Amino acid sequence: MSDASQKREESLDVIQRELTAFARRARSAAARLHPELPLVSYTLLAHIDEQHGCRAADLAAHYMLDKSTVSRQIGALEKLGMVERHPDPADHRIQVLRPTQAGTQALAATKASRRAAYRERLGEWTAHDLAQFARYLLRYNAAGDATAP
Amino acid sequence: MSDASQKREESLDVIQRELTAFARRARSAAARLHPELPLVSYTLLAHIDEQHGCRAADLAAHYMLDKSTVSRQIGALEKLGMVERHPDPADHRIQVLRPTQAGTQALAATKASRRAAYRERLGEWTAHDLAQFARYLLRYNAAGDATAP
DNA sequence: CATTTCCGTTGTACTATACAACTGAATATC
DNA sequence: GATATTCAGTTGTATAGTACAACGGAAATG
C-alpha cells in the first residue's frame, strides 16, 4: 500500500472511531443537559418548525424512523402541548403538524442552552477552525445518509 | 454583535445541527449495516481490544454509561463468546476483560466492513481533507466529555 | 366499482439505558 | 486490629426509543 493511501486509511479509522464515540455519548449527554425536551422530541420538533409544518411521514423519511415511532413521538409532543395536528382538508389521510406557541418557546430555550454549551466547549477554537469543521460536517452528512457509521 | 462573532455563532449552529443529525442516524444505520455485532457491543469490544484488556469500570467511565449497563453488555458479549473475564490476582474485585479469538475475528470483520463503507462514502475527499476532519473530530471529542451535544 | 397504495394508529417485543439495592473485596480511620 | 468507607460488579425494576406486523380509513388507479 502506498504511503498516501496508508495515510488515508488512518484518517478514515480516526473519523470512524471519533464519530462513533460521539454518537455513543450524544444521547446520554443530551438527556443530562436537557431533561425537559428529550433529544428525539427536540429533533422532531425542530424539523417541524423549520419546515413550517410537515407530515409524520416526512419525519419518518428524513430521520429513517418507522412511522409507528414517529406516531408515538408526535403523540408525546402533543401531550406536552408542543405540537398540534391539523387535518388537511384536501387529503383526509394527512395531518399537518405545527408547533404550538409553547413548542416554539421550548424549542428556542433548548436551542439557546445548546448553543451556550457549544460556545463554551468550542470557545478556544478560532473562527476559521469552526468554519472549517462545520464545512466538513456538512459535507460528511450530505454525502449520503445511508452509509454511516 | 461583531461580524466575527456572528460568524462564530453560525458555525456553532451548523456544528450543533450536523452533529445532532449524525447522532440521530447513527444507531439505525449501524443496526442496518452490521446486524451481527450491534453498535454498542462493537464499541465496547473495540475498546477492550485497543486497551489490550480493561475493566468494566473503565468502559463505563469512557462511554459515560452506568456500570449496570456495561455489566449487561459484557454479559451479552460473553454469551456470544467474544470476551472472557479474567480475575485479577492482585485485586479480587477486578475482572480484566479480554477479547477471545472469536471476538477478535468478529471485530476485524466488522471493522473492515465499516472501513469499506467509510472509504466509499469519503472516497472523493482528498487525503488532506480527511486528515483535517479527523483532527477536528479528535479535538472536539477531547474537549471535555460532558458538554455534548 | 375493485384493487391497490398511502397515511397514520395500535399491539407486541426487544434493546439500551438508568437508578437503587445488594455482595464482596480493599482501604482508611480510629 | 475492628469498624467504617470506598470500590467493582451484579441484579431487580422501570423507562425510552425503536421496529415489525396487523389494522383502518382515505385516496388513486385500473
Side-chain angles (χ1 to χ4, degrees), chain B:
Chain B
M1 192 185 289
S2 81
D3 211 59
S5 78
Q6 173 75 36
K7 282 239 174 66
R8 284 184 70 87
E9 292 291 311
E10 281 172 23
S11 295
L12 286 173
D13 278 354
V14 171
I15 290 166
Q16 175 182 338
R17 176 162 43 83
E18 296 304 313
L19 278 176
T20 305
F22 172 81
R24 283 292 286 97
R25 288 188 273 225
R27 192 204 295 224
S28 71
R32 225 176 334 100
L33 286 171
H34 313 286
E36 76 290 355
L37 189 57
L39 177 60
V40 175
S41 308
Y42 169 77
T43 311
L44 296 184
L45 185 54
H47 195 260
I48 293 169
D49 190 53
E50 280 161 19
Q51 304 293 306
H52 298 288
C54 70
R55 298 170 302 161
D58 298 337
L59 295 170
H62 192 256
Y63 292 108
M64 300 197 297
L65 293 170
D66 193 78
K67 54 191 181 163
S68 65
T69 302
V70 173
S71 175
R72 288 180 228 269
Q73 291 289 335
I74 299 301
L77 280 172
E78 192 184 31
K79 196 180 284 180
L80 288 170
M82 305 251 185
V83 294
E84 285 168 351
R85 298 161 145 116
H86 296 287
D88 183 332
D91 185 338
H92 284 205
R93 294 172 303 182
I94 293 173
Q95 297 174 344
V96 179
L97 305 170
R98 298 201 174 283
T100 62
Q101 203 189 342
T104 307
Q105 278 172 14
L107 197 55
T110 303
K111 201 176 262 182
S113 109
R114 294 197 176 198
R115 186 181 290 163
Y118 273 87
R119 198 184 296 127
E120 174 172 355
R121 174 166 200 160
L122 300 176
E124 306 286 311
W125 292 43
T126 66
H128 175 260
D129 280 345
L130 288 176
Q132 280 283 101
F133 189 36
R135 231 168 43 78
Y136 284 133
L137 283 171
L138 277 171
R139 187 171 169 196
Y140 177 85
N141 277 340
D145 296 352
T147 323

Side-chain angles (χ1 to χ4, degrees), chain A residues 35-95:
Chain A
E36 76 289 355
L37 190 58
L39 179 60
V40 176
S41 308
Y42 168 77
T43 311
L44 296 185
L45 186 54
H47 195 260
I48 292 169
D49 190 54
E50 279 160 21
Q51 305 293 307
H52 299 289
C54 71
R55 297 171 303 160
D58 298 337
L59 294 171
H62 191 256
Y63 292 107
M64 301 196 293
L65 294 170
D66 192 80
K67 54 191 180 162
S68 65
T69 302
V70 173
S71 174
R72 289 180 228 268
Q73 291 288 336
I74 299 302
L77 280 172
E78 191 184 32
K79 197 181 281 178
L80 288 169
M82 305 250 184
V83 294
E84 285 169 351
R85 299 162 145 115
H86 291 93
D88 183 334
D91 186 337
H92 283 206
R93 295 173 301 182
I94 293 173
Q95 298 173 345

